């Protein structure tokens, strides 16, 4: 029997706003509120509001928390030691280096950390961490607490005007002084200058009961509600990975344009997957994740990428029409020998469409990252 879809505290609010609801990772979430293009454009030009309460906060605390997370995560939490309120992007891998999830971890203060897990991986990630605690000898130890937070929801206010509008709604002018990957905690709100769109903005973790009033206030301030469709086109223009498509347990960070999330500098730090990732870095990965700019057509997941001579180079992991760039773009896992700038062909419905290989992202903070006309000439 199929379990019913889970809903966020804003489910009724979405229906009131005219959202078209769809299933995503077992959650019923808004796909759009009438126009994906309008929502995408609002985030690029002003501000948009996303309900991302399907992502799950997980609090890890206690005297052993720092050392445990240095063992569990590929990036080194020691980078946050002197920076309460600072956040770190990292991958979490298994012993063979395959990616279990990508996540953000924040240092909240003495012996306190907050992780935000992807919806599709939240339960599995939590169980993985509990198993690691057991293997590490800390299961049941009062010095390490791993606490799920189903009482909390998450909103994302994104776009060049997002900070100004959110600061006004919260009457919190100091919010604008918060730098990227920094957090503020005020009046029960956890505010981080992070996001998944390639624009400025904040993610707000708050008790579920407070989300509706906050969403209403942001709409009254002119922030446009936005759904999953715009979130996907925005994140792909920003060259950001989607778990389950652009990275999986079959892919290492180096194969997923995320090798920079693996910190091997402290040779004394033992962490899950270190040996496999160090060996791959020394030898060089056989595949890599690259961007594709298409001359025409829209690439889809699974589309084969070939050289002009017909040799298979790899396949598309994510592809769509980019509203801001007004052309098809894609992420593709290709042979590592495929150079940036290479002219390739993408199979779309049995036909070969010309494309050029680029380094992601495609768009960041109000401007394109590549001279498209020159590359495709």
């Amino acid at each position: 029997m199929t379990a019913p879809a889970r809903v966020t505290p804003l489910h009724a609010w979405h229906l009131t706003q005219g959202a078209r609801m769809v299933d995503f990772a077992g959650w019923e979430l808004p796909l759009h509120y009438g126009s994906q293009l309008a929502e995408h454009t609002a985030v690029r030009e002003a501000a948009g509001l996303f309900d991302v309460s399907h992502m799950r906060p997980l609090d890890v605390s206690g005297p052993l928390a720092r050392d445990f997370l240095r063992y569990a995560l590929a990036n080194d939490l020691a980078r946050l030691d002197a920076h309460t309120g600072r956040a770190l992007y990292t991958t979490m891998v298994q012993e063979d280096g395959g990616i279990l999830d990508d996540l953000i971890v924040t240092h909240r203060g003495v012996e306190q950390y907050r992780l935000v897990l992807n919806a599709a991986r939240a339960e599995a990630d939590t169980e993985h961490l509990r198993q690691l605690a057991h293997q590490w000898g800390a299961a049941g130890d009062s010095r390490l607490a791993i606490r799920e937070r189903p009482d909390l929801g998450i909103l994302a206010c994104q776009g060049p005007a997002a900070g100004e509008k959110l600061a006004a709604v919260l009457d919190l002018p100091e919010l604008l002084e918060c730098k990227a990957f920094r957090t503020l905690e005020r009046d029960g709100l956890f505010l981080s200058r992070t996001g998944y769109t390639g624009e400025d903005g904040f993610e707000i973790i708050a008790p579920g009961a407070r989300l509706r009033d906050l969403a209403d206030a942001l709409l009254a301030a002119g922030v446009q509600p936005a759904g999953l469709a715009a979130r996907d086109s925005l994140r792909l223009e920003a060259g950001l990975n989607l778990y389950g498509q652009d990275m999986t347990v079959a892919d290492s960070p180096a194969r997923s344009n995320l090798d920079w999330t693996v910190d091997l500098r402290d040779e004394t730090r033992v962490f899950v997957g270190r040996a496999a990732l160090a060996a791959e870095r020394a030898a060089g990965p056989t595949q890599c994740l690259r961007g594709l700019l298409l001359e025409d057509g829209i690439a889809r997941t699974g589309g084969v990428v070939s050289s002009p001579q017909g040799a298979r180079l790899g396949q598309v992991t994510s592809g769509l029409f980019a509203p801001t760039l007004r052309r098809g773009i894609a992420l593709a896992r290709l042979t590592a020998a495929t150079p940036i700038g290479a002219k390739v062909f993408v199979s779309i419905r049995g036909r070969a469409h010309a494309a050029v290989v680029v380094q992601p992202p495609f768009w960041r903070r109000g401007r394109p990252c590549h001279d498209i006309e020159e590359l495709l000439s």
Side-chain angles (χ1 to χ4, degrees):
M1 183 176 178
T2 303
R6 300 167 73 179
V7 298
T8 76
L10 284 180
H11 183 264
W13 184 88
H14 295 311
L15 297 178
T16 301
Q17 300 300 322
R20 178 186 172 190
M21 308 296 284
V22 296
D23 179 85
F24 178 81
W27 291 78
E28 189 173 350
L29 298 171
L31 180 66
H32 58 71
Y33 299 83
S35 171
Q36 173 191 353
L37 179 58
E39 295 161 27
H40 180 109
T41 302
V43 174
R44 288 281 178 251
E45 296 181 356
L49 178 66
F50 302 86
D51 178 11
V52 290
S53 299
H54 55 298
M55 300 182 70
R56 308 311 299 154
L58 186 75
D59 289 343
V60 180
S61 60
L64 297 180
R66 173 187 179 273
D67 289 344
F68 173 69
L69 290 174
R70 292 190 77 204
Y71 171 70
L73 304 175
N75 215 337
D76 192 353
L77 210 68
R79 296 170 63 181
L80 303 182
D81 282 352
H83 304 284
T84 298
R86 185 176 172 183
L88 181 71
Y89 178 70
T90 182
T91 46
M92 181 164 63
V93 304
Q94 55 191 18
E95 284 291 359
D96 66 0
I99 299 173
L100 292 170
D101 206 353
D102 68 320
L103 56 97
I104 291 176
V105 56
T106 301
H107 182 202
R108 301 182 66 196
V110 178
E111 301 175 355
Q112 295 186 65
Y113 299 89
R114 173 164 287 168
L115 285 61
V116 179
L117 309 174
N118 282 310
R121 289 291 311 174
E123 285 78 12
D125 286 352
T126 303
E127 180 59 24
H128 170 75
L129 289 168
R130 295 193 191 284
Q131 288 297 323
L132 284 185
H134 179 77
Q135 296 167 18
W136 202 58
D141 194 317
S142 61
R143 295 174 296 167
L144 178 66
I146 299 173
R147 181 188 177 198
E148 297 175 79
R149 298 301 306 270
D151 55 311
L152 300 177
I154 311 178
L155 297 178
C157 185
Q158 300 282 297
E164 178 183 342
K165 290 183 179 295
L166 182 60
V169 163
L170 297 178
D171 191 21
L172 195 64
E174 61 265 39
L175 190 67
L176 297 177
E177 299 174 9
C178 183
K179 297 181 179 180
F181 275 76
R182 300 294 195 275
T183 62
L184 289 177
E185 297 195 47
R186 295 288 189 278
D187 188 30
L189 301 178
F190 181 93
L191 307 156
S192 60
R193 201 159 200 165
T194 53
Y196 193 55
T197 63
E199 299 293 345
D200 190 16
F202 288 83
E203 292 173 308
I204 309 111
I205 300 178
R210 297 183 62 180
L211 295 187
R212 179 159 190 149
D213 286 347
L214 182 55
D216 283 340
L218 287 167
L219 258 65
V223 181
Q224 167 82 41
L228 291 172
R231 184 170 165 83
D232 194 41
S233 54
L234 289 160
R235 71 91 190 170
L236 189 51
E237 286 187 343
L240 300 173
N241 292 7
L242 176 64
Y243 192 86
Q245 286 188 201
D246 308 303
M247 53 184 167
T248 69
V249 291
D251 305 303
S252 68
R255 284 165 43 94
S256 306
N257 201 29
L258 293 173
D259 194 44
W260 58 275
T261 69
V262 178
D263 193 336
L264 300 175
R265 290 174 296 179
D266 183 350
E267 296 181 358
T268 67
R269 182 172 75 104
V270 176
F271 66 87
V272 178
R274 178 178 185 123
L277 296 178
E280 182 183 44
R281 184 175 290 182
T286 58
Q287 293 182 310
C288 56
L289 194 69
R290 299 292 191 218
L292 298 177
L293 287 166
L294 280 74
E295 287 191 3
D296 58 48
I298 303 173
R300 298 301 186 193
T301 301
V304 174
V305 182
S306 303
S307 72
Q309 294 75 34
R312 180 181 174 124
L313 301 175
Q315 68 180 37
V316 172
T317 57
S318 289
L320 47 67
F321 178 79
T324 315
L325 299 173
R326 301 185 63 80
R327 68 175 57 252
I329 62 172
L331 294 177
R333 184 159 284 106
L334 307 175
T335 60
T338 308
I340 299 296
K343 300 297 177 65
V344 298
F345 289 93
V346 183
S347 176
I348 303 173
R349 296 178 180 173
R351 295 181 58 192
H353 290 250
V356 64
V357 178
V358 298
Q359 180 65 28
F362 304 94
W363 183 275
R364 189 60 59 88
R365 294 296 179 96
R367 63 186 62 187
C369 298
H370 308 282
D371 187 331
I372 298 173
E373 298 305 322
E374 180 178 339
L375 285 170
L376 293 175
S377 63

